[in-house]
Amino acid sequence: QGGGSAVIDMENMDDTSGSSFEDMGEMHQRMKEEEEEEAEGEAGAGEEEDGEFLGMKGLRGQLGRQVADQMWQVGKRQASRAFSLYANIDILRPYFDVEPVQVRARLLESMIPVKMINFPQKIAGELYGPLMLVFTLVAILLHGMKTSDTIIREGTLMGTAIGTCFGYWLGVSSFMYFLAYLCNAQITMVQMLSLLGYGLFGHCITLFVTYNIHFHSLFYIFWLVIGGLSTLRMVAVLVSRTVGHTQRLILCGTLAALHMLFLLYLHFAYHKVVEGILDTLEGPNMPPFQRVARDIPVVSNAVLNTTAKTIALTL
């Protein structure tokens, strides 16, 4: 019986050990399955994150392409405008397309007043002649500064002369065009620029002669004759294109006063104004610094003599 019981105990032990081994194997298998499930879950999450990252990259790529396209379109528009500038030059070409013979004839006509004012007189719609006259007036002013007694210091007077001449031409033309519009005169801005520009021919002749021959009486003669003829030409043309006595008086009186006073300013006051501007910008023309021996005052001599005598008596 003892041996039988031992055999049964061994069998029971064998069964118990087998069941324990099976349980360990099942636990090990379950742990493997759980690890595999966790690995699969992590892999799925990683794929989702990669998908989100790729989606962000795709969105950024689309935005980058859109910005690049917009920059390309803006650059293309600017380039097309730059190239179209040459086409816009053709708009100004008719105003400068003139023969030298025509310019010479118009210069002579600018000194001959119009007799017929019952119908509108023709005005040349070109700007080549007036522009050349303005540049000629600039050169004459510079020549007058050199031949006069005006002290020319550092810098150039080109900017002042250009500003004065072009300022008068453009400024007075704009003002007269506005006044002509108020007075219901039949004239355009280009025609006003041409009319006033050719009117400067008399100023050029007067200043060129009087800058080289310094006689005030000669200047007044040229001012009345040459300047007066060019002014009468412009006044007659404006009268022919204006309706109404009051409008004619306002328009023509203003133009005549401005034109004749500008010639007086260029002859008498222009050099002084430019010299004053130079003094303001550069300072007065001071002489160079020199060392000069100073005289000792009488009081100082007396003090020195008294001091010397006191020292001698002390010694």
Side-chain angles (χ1 to χ4, degrees):
Q1 290 178 355
S5 61
V7 171
I8 292 169
D9 292 336
M10 290 296 292
E11 289 178 356
N12 293 332
M13 187 182 294
D14 293 338
D15 293 339
T16 305
S17 63
S19 62
S20 63
F21 282 131
E22 289 177 359
D23 293 339
M24 291 295 293
E26 289 178 0
M27 291 178 62
H28 185 66
Q29 185 69 24
R30 288 176 184 175
M31 291 177 64
K32 284 185 177 181
E33 289 178 357
E34 290 178 358
E35 290 178 357
E36 289 178 357
E37 289 178 359
E38 290 179 359
E40 289 178 357
E42 291 178 357
E47 289 179 357
E48 291 179 358
E49 291 179 357
D50 292 339
E52 293 178 357
F53 179 71
L54 290 174
M56 291 297 295
K57 285 186 67 177
L59 182 60
R60 291 177 182 175
Q62 291 179 359
L63 290 175
R65 286 194 296 271
Q66 290 179 359
V67 172
D69 291 338
Q70 290 179 358
M71 292 179 65
W72 169 257
Q73 293 296 331
V74 171
K76 187 177 179 181
R77 286 195 217 102
Q78 291 180 353
S80 62
R81 289 176 184 175
F83 284 114
S84 64
L85 178 63
Y86 295 99
N88 294 332
I89 294 177
D90 294 335
I91 300 175
L92 300 176
R93 186 174 297 173
Y95 302 111
F96 295 91
D97 187 10
V98 61
E99 298 294 332
V101 179
Q102 296 177 344
V103 175
R104 183 180 61 187
R106 288 166 185 169
L107 289 175
L108 295 176
E109 290 176 357
S110 66
M111 304 297 297
I112 302 174
V114 178
K115 296 180 180 179
M116 301 295 294
I117 59 174
N118 295 326
F119 57 91
Q121 296 294 323
K122 184 179 179 181
I123 302 176
E126 53 93 7
L127 300 177
Y128 175 78
L131 189 62
M132 293 299 104
L133 282 172
V134 172
F135 280 118
T136 304
L137 186 60
V138 170
I140 292 173
L141 289 179
L142 295 176
H143 173 69
M145 293 293 290
K146 292 179 180 179
T147 56
S148 65
D149 296 332
T150 304
I151 301 174
I152 301 176
R153 289 182 290 275
E154 297 178 0
T156 178
L157 303 175
M158 181 71 72
T160 307
I162 290 177
T164 302
C165 297
F166 276 92
Y168 172 78
W169 181 44
L170 298 176
V172 174
S173 297
S174 301
F175 175 73
M176 293 306 302
Y177 174 72
F178 175 72
L179 196 61
Y181 175 78
L182 296 179
C183 295
N184 198 19
Q186 300 176 1
I187 190 170
T188 63
M189 184 63 187
V190 176
Q191 290 176 340
M192 182 61 71
L193 287 170
S194 179
L195 182 65
L196 188 64
Y198 277 111
L200 293 175
F201 182 57
H203 287 35
C204 293
I205 295 175
T206 303
L207 293 176
F208 181 74
V209 174
T210 55
Y211 279 164
N212 293 284
I213 303 174
H214 300 283
F215 291 109
H216 290 299
S217 58
L218 181 64
F219 167 75
Y220 286 119
I221 293 173
F222 274 75
W223 179 67
L224 289 174
V225 177
I226 305 298
L229 288 176
S230 62
T231 305
L232 284 176
R233 167 74 183 190
M234 293 189 297
V235 167
V237 172
L238 285 180
V239 166
S240 67
R241 289 177 169 266
T242 308
V243 179
H245 296 288
T246 305
Q247 290 84 349
R248 288 178 175 178
L249 182 62
I250 294 173
L251 188 62
C252 298
T254 303
L255 180 60
L258 290 174
H259 202 64
M260 297 297 286
L261 289 175
F262 181 63
L263 183 55
L264 286 175
Y265 166 76
L266 292 180
H267 183 78
F268 290 106
Y270 174 73
H271 295 171
K272 296 180 181 179
V273 170
V274 172
E275 190 173 2
I277 293 173
L278 291 176
D279 289 338
T280 303
L281 296 177
E282 302 175 5
N285 192 13
M286 299 296 293
F289 179 78
Q290 295 179 356
R291 294 184 178 273
V292 180
R294 296 181 180 179
D295 296 331
I296 300 175
V298 178
V299 178
S300 300
N301 291 331
V303 172
L304 290 175
N305 293 331
T306 305
T307 305
K309 289 179 181 179
T310 303
I311 295 171
L313 291 173
T314 304
L315 295 175

